PDB file of all heavy atoms in Angstrom:
ATOM      1  N   ARG A   5     -64.165  67.861  27.037  1.00 97.00           N
ATOM      2  CA  ARG A   5     -65.368  66.940  26.756  1.00 97.00           C
ATOM      3  C   ARG A   5     -66.594  67.362  27.531  1.00 97.00           C
ATOM      4  O   ARG A   5     -66.624  67.472  28.689  1.00 97.00           O
ATOM      5  CB  ARG A   5     -64.929  65.471  27.076  1.00 97.00           C
ATOM      6  CG  ARG A   5     -63.633  65.046  26.268  1.00 97.00           C
ATOM      7  CD  ARG A   5     -63.034  63.682  26.863  1.00 97.00           C
ATOM      8  NE  ARG A   5     -64.035  62.799  27.212  1.00 97.00           N
ATOM      9  CZ  ARG A   5     -64.721  61.879  26.591  1.00 97.00           C
ATOM     10  NH1 ARG A   5     -64.528  61.888  25.313  1.00 97.00           N
ATOM     11  NH2 ARG A   5     -65.613  61.118  27.174  1.00 97.00           N
ATOM     12  N   ASP A  12     -85.393  69.692  27.226  1.00 95.00           N
ATOM     13  CA  ASP A  12     -85.980  70.220  25.961  1.00 95.00           C
ATOM     14  C   ASP A  12     -84.984  69.913  24.717  1.00 95.00           C
ATOM     15  O   ASP A  12     -83.907  70.452  24.670  1.00 95.00           O
ATOM     16  CB  ASP A  12     -86.259  71.733  25.927  1.00 95.00           C
ATOM     17  CG  ASP A  12     -87.061  72.183  24.700  1.00 95.00           C
ATOM     18  OD1 ASP A  12     -86.876  71.621  23.725  1.00 95.00           O
ATOM     19  OD2 ASP A  12     -87.802  73.131  24.996  1.00 95.00           O
ATOM     20  N   ARG A  20     -75.753  72.507  21.998  1.00 97.00           N
ATOM     21  CA  ARG A  20     -74.732  71.631  21.262  1.00 97.00           C
ATOM     22  C   ARG A  20     -74.063  72.467  20.160  1.00 97.00           C
ATOM     23  O   ARG A  20     -72.887  72.541  20.083  1.00 97.00           O
ATOM     24  CB  ARG A  20     -75.315  70.391  20.556  1.00 97.00           C
ATOM     25  CG  ARG A  20     -74.336  69.482  19.988  1.00 97.00           C
ATOM     26  CD  ARG A  20     -75.051  68.396  19.169  1.00 97.00           C
ATOM     27  NE  ARG A  20     -75.797  68.786  18.133  1.00 97.00           N
ATOM     28  CZ  ARG A  20     -75.352  69.384  16.829  1.00 97.00           C
ATOM     29  NH1 ARG A  20     -74.030  69.393  16.696  1.00 97.00           N
ATOM     30  NH2 ARG A  20     -76.136  69.702  15.902  1.00 97.00           N
ATOM     31  N   GLY A  28     -61.925  74.230  21.059  1.00 95.00           N
ATOM     32  CA  GLY A  28     -61.400  73.611  22.209  1.00 95.00           C
ATOM     33  C   GLY A  28     -62.410  72.822  22.999  1.00 95.00           C
ATOM     34  O   GLY A  28     -62.191  72.295  24.129  1.00 95.00           O
ATOM     35  N   ALA A  35     -78.068  64.390  27.209  1.00 97.00           N
ATOM     36  CA  ALA A  35     -78.921  63.618  27.916  1.00 97.00           C
ATOM     37  C   ALA A  35     -80.236  64.441  28.045  1.00 97.00           C
ATOM     38  O   ALA A  35     -80.143  65.693  28.547  1.00 97.00           O
ATOM     39  CB  ALA A  35     -78.485  63.274  29.256  1.00 97.00           C
ATOM     40  N   ILE A  45     -72.873  60.306  32.399  1.00 95.00           N
ATOM     41  CA  ILE A  45     -71.642  60.787  33.236  1.00 95.00           C
ATOM     42  C   ILE A  45     -70.758  59.570  33.571  1.00 95.00           C
ATOM     43  O   ILE A  45     -69.468  59.707  33.512  1.00 95.00           O
ATOM     44  CB  ILE A  45     -72.187  61.625  34.322  1.00 95.00           C
ATOM     45  CG1 ILE A  45     -72.808  62.921  33.993  1.00 95.00           C
ATOM     46  CG2 ILE A  45     -71.024  61.737  35.376  1.00 95.00           C
ATOM     47  CD1 ILE A  45     -73.483  63.698  34.988  1.00 95.00           C
ATOM     48  N   LEU A  48     -69.221  58.317  29.975  1.00 95.00           N
ATOM     49  CA  LEU A  48     -68.399  59.124  29.106  1.00 95.00           C
ATOM     50  C   LEU A  48     -67.401  59.931  29.964  1.00 95.00           C
ATOM     51  O   LEU A  48     -66.451  60.345  29.225  1.00 95.00           O
ATOM     52  CB  LEU A  48     -69.417  60.204  28.384  1.00 95.00           C
ATOM     53  CG  LEU A  48     -70.465  59.477  27.396  1.00 95.00           C
ATOM     54  CD1 LEU A  48     -71.352  60.616  26.955  1.00 95.00           C
ATOM     55  CD2 LEU A  48     -69.825  58.793  26.299  1.00 95.00           C
ATOM     56  N   VAL A  53     -70.220  69.593  32.503  1.00 97.00           N
ATOM     57  CA  VAL A  53     -71.518  69.219  32.122  1.00 97.00           C
ATOM     58  C   VAL A  53     -72.282  70.507  32.119  1.00 97.00           C
ATOM     59  O   VAL A  53     -72.153  71.381  32.996  1.00 97.00           O
ATOM     60  CB  VAL A  53     -72.131  68.337  33.220  1.00 97.00           C
ATOM     61  CG1 VAL A  53     -73.626  68.146  33.096  1.00 97.00           C
ATOM     62  CG2 VAL A  53     -71.535  67.019  33.400  1.00 97.00           C
ATOM     63  N   LEU A  54     -72.960  70.856  30.955  1.00 98.00           N
ATOM     64  CA  LEU A  54     -73.936  72.044  30.857  1.00 98.00           C
ATOM     65  C   LEU A  54     -75.198  71.476  31.358  1.00 98.00           C
ATOM     66  O   LEU A  54     -75.905  70.581  30.698  1.00 98.00           O
ATOM     67  CB  LEU A  54     -73.963  72.463  29.408  1.00 98.00           C
ATOM     68  CG  LEU A  54     -72.718  72.844  28.748  1.00 98.00           C
ATOM     69  CD1 LEU A  54     -72.824  73.270  27.286  1.00 98.00           C
ATOM     70  CD2 LEU A  54     -71.839  73.878  29.635  1.00 98.00           C
ATOM     71  N   LEU A  55     -75.735  71.973  32.496  1.00 96.00           N
ATOM     72  CA  LEU A  55     -76.757  71.327  33.260  1.00 96.00           C
ATOM     73  C   LEU A  55     -78.040  72.382  33.411  1.00 96.00           C
ATOM     74  O   LEU A  55     -77.806  73.356  33.904  1.00 96.00           O
ATOM     75  CB  LEU A  55     -76.280  70.864  34.573  1.00 96.00           C
ATOM     76  CG  LEU A  55     -77.244  70.265  35.560  1.00 96.00           C
ATOM     77  CD1 LEU A  55     -77.929  69.139  34.983  1.00 96.00           C
ATOM     78  CD2 LEU A  55     -76.584  70.066  36.985  1.00 96.00           C
ATOM     79  N   ILE A  57     -81.681  72.991  35.373  1.00 94.00           N
ATOM     80  CA  ILE A  57     -82.245  72.685  36.752  1.00 94.00           C
ATOM     81  C   ILE A  57     -83.509  72.014  36.749  1.00 94.00           C
ATOM     82  O   ILE A  57     -83.702  70.905  37.390  1.00 94.00           O
ATOM     83  CB  ILE A  57     -82.240  73.891  37.652  1.00 94.00           C
ATOM     84  CG1 ILE A  57     -80.730  74.400  37.983  1.00 94.00           C
ATOM     85  CG2 ILE A  57     -82.929  73.618  39.026  1.00 94.00           C
ATOM     86  CD1 ILE A  57     -80.698  75.596  38.921  1.00 94.00           C
ATOM     87  N   ARG A  74     -69.686  61.393  44.373  1.00 86.00           N
ATOM     88  CA  ARG A  74     -68.825  60.360  43.798  1.00 86.00           C
ATOM     89  C   ARG A  74     -67.462  60.846  43.152  1.00 86.00           C
ATOM     90  O   ARG A  74     -66.450  60.174  43.226  1.00 86.00           O
ATOM     91  CB  ARG A  74     -69.621  59.677  42.636  1.00 86.00           C
ATOM     92  CG  ARG A  74     -70.815  58.940  42.981  1.00 86.00           C
ATOM     93  CD  ARG A  74     -71.443  58.123  41.893  1.00 86.00           C
ATOM     94  NE  ARG A  74     -71.496  58.817  40.585  1.00 86.00           N
ATOM     95  CZ  ARG A  74     -72.616  59.360  40.146  1.00 86.00           C
ATOM     96  NH1 ARG A  74     -73.729  59.236  40.938  1.00 86.00           N
ATOM     97  NH2 ARG A  74     -72.645  59.951  38.913  1.00 86.00           N
ATOM     98  N   ARG A 119     -63.720  81.168  29.556  1.00 90.00           N
ATOM     99  CA  ARG A 119     -63.235  81.344  30.882  1.00 90.00           C
ATOM    100  C   ARG A 119     -62.856  79.965  31.518  1.00 90.00           C
ATOM    101  O   ARG A 119     -61.924  79.803  32.160  1.00 90.00           O
ATOM    102  CB  ARG A 119     -64.079  82.162  31.731  1.00 90.00           C
ATOM    103  CG  ARG A 119     -64.020  83.743  31.523  1.00 90.00           C
ATOM    104  CD  ARG A 119     -64.857  84.433  32.426  1.00 90.00           C
ATOM    105  NE  ARG A 119     -66.259  84.248  32.357  1.00 90.00           N
ATOM    106  CZ  ARG A 119     -67.023  83.581  33.182  1.00 90.00           C
ATOM    107  NH1 ARG A 119     -66.452  83.138  34.285  1.00 90.00           N
ATOM    108  NH2 ARG A 119     -68.252  83.325  33.039  1.00 90.00           N
ATOM    109  N   GLN A 122     -59.766  78.531  29.796  1.00 86.00           N
ATOM    110  CA  GLN A 122     -58.530  79.213  30.344  1.00 86.00           C
ATOM    111  C   GLN A 122     -58.301  78.736  31.785  1.00 86.00           C
ATOM    112  O   GLN A 122     -57.040  78.470  32.059  1.00 86.00           O
ATOM    113  CB  GLN A 122     -58.772  80.760  30.284  1.00 86.00           C
ATOM    114  CG  GLN A 122     -57.588  81.492  30.529  1.00 86.00           C
ATOM    115  CD  GLN A 122     -57.889  83.119  30.400  1.00 86.00           C
ATOM    116  OE1 GLN A 122     -59.032  83.464  30.223  1.00 86.00           O
ATOM    117  NE2 GLN A 122     -56.804  84.020  30.454  1.00 86.00           N
ATOM    118  N   THR A 123     -59.198  78.741  32.665  1.00 84.00           N
ATOM    119  CA  THR A 123     -59.016  78.322  33.947  1.00 84.00           C
ATOM    120  C   THR A 123     -58.488  76.940  34.035  1.00 84.00           C
ATOM    121  O   THR A 123     -57.598  76.550  34.766  1.00 84.00           O
ATOM    122  CB  THR A 123     -60.350  78.479  34.880  1.00 84.00           C
ATOM    123  OG1 THR A 123     -60.819  79.787  34.746  1.00 84.00           O
ATOM    124  CG2 THR A 123     -60.084  78.106  36.174  1.00 84.00           C
ATOM    125  N   LEU A 127     -54.913  75.653  35.604  1.00 77.00           N
ATOM    126  CA  LEU A 127     -54.899  74.667  36.629  1.00 77.00           C
ATOM    127  C   LEU A 127     -54.180  73.383  36.222  1.00 77.00           C
ATOM    128  O   LEU A 127     -53.763  72.693  37.229  1.00 77.00           O
ATOM    129  CB  LEU A 127     -56.312  74.371  37.120  1.00 77.00           C
ATOM    130  CG  LEU A 127     -56.987  75.449  37.996  1.00 77.00           C
ATOM    131  CD1 LEU A 127     -58.334  75.116  38.198  1.00 77.00           C
ATOM    132  CD2 LEU A 127     -56.230  75.787  39.209  1.00 77.00           C
ATOM    133  N   GLU A 147     -65.332  86.314  37.134  1.00 58.00           N
ATOM    134  CA  GLU A 147     -65.603  87.211  36.086  1.00 58.00           C
ATOM    135  C   GLU A 147     -66.971  86.829  35.641  1.00 58.00           C
ATOM    136  O   GLU A 147     -67.278  85.794  35.343  1.00 58.00           O
ATOM    137  CB  GLU A 147     -64.455  87.024  35.123  1.00 58.00           C
ATOM    138  CG  GLU A 147     -64.550  88.143  33.983  1.00 58.00           C
ATOM    139  CD  GLU A 147     -63.426  87.904  33.079  1.00 58.00           C
ATOM    140  OE1 GLU A 147     -62.226  88.140  33.430  1.00 58.00           O
ATOM    141  OE2 GLU A 147     -63.642  87.481  31.909  1.00 58.00           O
ATOM    142  N   ALA A 170     -76.745  97.992   9.985  1.00 67.00           N
ATOM    143  CA  ALA A 170     -77.587  98.568   8.797  1.00 67.00           C
ATOM    144  C   ALA A 170     -77.739  99.993   8.788  1.00 67.00           C
ATOM    145  O   ALA A 170     -77.785 100.706   7.769  1.00 67.00           O
ATOM    146  CB  ALA A 170     -78.979  97.805   8.735  1.00 67.00           C
TER     147      ALA A 170
END
Side-chain angles (χ1 to χ4, degrees):
R5 298 168 37 82
D12 185 329
R20 183 189 64 75
I45 287 170
L48 301 173
V53 175
L54 304 181
L55 178 64
I57 291 179
R74 293 189 314 260
R119 282 185 297 108
Q122 188 177 5
T123 302
L127 287 173
E147 192 177 290

